Amino acid sequence: MRIREKKEKQLEEEKPLNVKREILEWVILIAGTILLVIFLDTKVVVNSEVPSASMENTIMTGDHIFGNRMAYRDSDPERFDIVIFRMPDDKSQLYIKRIIGLPGETVTITDGKVYIDGSQEPLDDSFIREPMEGSFGSFQVPEDCYFMLGDNRNNSNDSRYWLNPYVERADILGKAFFRYLPLNRIGIVE
C-alpha cells in the first residue's frame, strides 16, 4: 500500500510540471510559427490579391498570387515578367502587371501596338485579352525604372495613365509565380 500511495503522490506532484511544460511547448511552437510566417512574408514571398480585371485572362479578378521576392536578387527583371510592385502614385497599394519597357528604352504605343526603341516590328502581344485600342505616344523609361501594362489593355490602370508612369526597381517586390486561390485555378503563373 505504501508504494501505491508513494506513486500517487509522485504523480500529483509531477502533474503541474507537465501542464507547465505543455503550455511552454505550445507557446514556443506558436511563436516560432509566427516568426517563420513573418520571415517568409518579408524576405521570401509577397502575397497579392488581384482586385480588378486588368490582367485577365492571364490572372483573373479575385485571384490570390504569391510573388517570389528573391527572383531578382541576382538578376534584373525582364520584359514580359509579371511582377507585384508598389504603385508609383500611391506606394501603399500593391499592383500586379506585366513589364513591357526596360530601363533606357523608348516605348511607343501607336494604333494599339507597342514598339520598342523605334522598331518597325511591334511587340508580340499574343497573351493579351483583346487588341488594344488607341495611341498613347512615346514614353522614355528612365534608368532603374520599368514601364508596365496590364494584359487586359483596354481595362487596365497602368503606366499609360499614372502621374508617375514608371516603376522604380526598388518598388518591384517580386515576380508572380503561384496562384493559390481560387482552388479551381491553383497553379503556376505563366
Side-chain angles (χ1 to χ4, degrees), residues 155-170:
N155 189 20
S156 178
N157 180 18
D158 51 37
S159 288
R160 297 170 293 171
Y161 302 108
W162 302 331
L163 293 175
N164 303 296
Y166 311 106
V167 175
E168 294 179 18
R169 171 77 163 77

Side-chain angles (χ1 to χ4, degrees), residues 11 16 18 50 60 76 79 83 90 93 95 99 104 153-154 157 161 165 169 176:
L11 286 174
N18 287 340
V50 179
M60 304 303 283
D76 290 324
R79 189 180 335 278
V83 295
D90 180 357
Q93 292 187 47
Y95 271 41
I99 294 175
R153 304 266 165 89
N154 296 321
N157 180 18
Y161 302 108
R169 171 77 163 77

Side-chain angles (χ1 to χ4, degrees), residues 73-90:
R73 212 171 98 191
D74 298 324
S75 65
D76 290 324
E78 296 178 6
R79 189 180 335 278
F80 301 127
D81 285 355
I82 298 173
V83 295
I84 300 168
F85 58 92
R86 288 185 197 94
M87 198 268 197
D89 292 342
D90 180 357

Side-chain angles (χ1 to χ4, degrees), residues 83-165:
V83 295
I84 300 168
F85 58 92
R86 288 185 197 94
M87 198 268 197
D89 292 342
D90 180 357
K91 304 241 183 190
S92 69
Q93 292 187 47
L94 296 186
Y95 271 41
I96 185 166
K97 304 283 182 210
R98 191 177 296 271
I99 294 175
I100 299 299
L102 302 175
E105 292 182 335
T106 300
V107 177
T108 303
I109 303 173
T110 304
D111 296 326
K113 295 290 182 193
V114 179
Y115 301 89
I116 302 297
D117 290 338
S119 171
Q120 299 300 308
E121 196 65 35
L123 284 182
D124 174 22
D125 61 4
S126 55
F127 50 82
I128 68 174
R129 183 174 183 169
E130 60 191 17
M132 180 172 38
E133 298 170 0
S135 296
F136 295 88
S138 292
F139 299 84
Q140 178 62 46
V141 184
E143 287 303 317
D144 209 35
C145 292
Y146 296 84
F147 185 86
M148 308 291 186
L149 291 176
D151 287 359
N152 186 358
R153 304 266 165 89
N154 296 321
N155 189 20
S156 178
N157 180 18
D158 51 37
S159 288
R160 297 170 293 171
Y161 302 108
W162 302 331
L163 293 175
N164 303 296

